[in-house]
Amino acid sequence: TGSSRRNVLKKAGAFAAGVAAPVAANAYFVPDLPYAFEALEPYIDAPTMKIHHDKHHATYVTNINKATEGKDEVPILDLMADALDATPVRNSGGGHYNHAF
C-alpha cells in the first residue's frame, strides 16, 4: 500500500542519513530498520534481530562516536578510507558501516 511504501522510504532515508554525513557531536547513529524485526523470519527471528540491531550495532555506534569525539566530523566512507590501522575508528566505524549498509 502507499502507506507502507511511504514508511519504508522514510526509514530508508533515515538509514541513509545515519551512514552519510554526520552533523552533531554524536555524529553517527543507529538508523531504524526499513522493515519490521520479524520480517526475516523464519531465517532470523525477531528477538535476534532486535538484539543485533539495538545492542550490537548500537555498540559500534557508541564506540565510533567516542573514538571521534573532538575531531572533525566526516562521512563514514571517508573515515573508513583513512583508517588503515586496526584502531577503534576502523573497528567501530567499519562495524557501523557494515551494519548500516
Side-chain angles (χ1 to χ4, degrees):
T1 67
S3 175
S4 64
R5 273 186 239 144
R6 252 192 305 278
N7 288 337
V8 168
L9 291 173
K10 185 170 147 183
K11 289 181 179 182
F15 168 83
V19 176
V23 294
N26 287 321
Y28 306 101
F29 62 92
V30 178
D32 290 336
L33 289 176
Y35 49 84
F37 288 119
E38 63 273 2
L40 300 178
E41 289 182 341
Y43 306 102
I44 302 174
D45 64 20
T48 299
M49 283 298 297
K50 185 156 181 54
I51 289 168
H52 194 88
H53 180 266
D54 294 351
K55 305 268 189 225
H56 182 70
H57 186 172
T59 299
Y60 283 124
V61 170
T62 297
N63 290 337
I64 189 62
N65 283 329
K66 284 180 189 174
T68 58
E69 190 173 2
K71 298 178 182 171
D72 290 339
E73 297 169 6
V74 298
I76 195 73
L77 288 177
D78 294 345
L79 190 66
M80 293 296 88
D82 293 333
L84 298 176
D85 296 327
T87 65
V89 170
R90 177 180 165 198
N91 296 339
S92 297
H96 168 52
Y97 175 74
N98 288 333
H99 283 78
F101 177 52

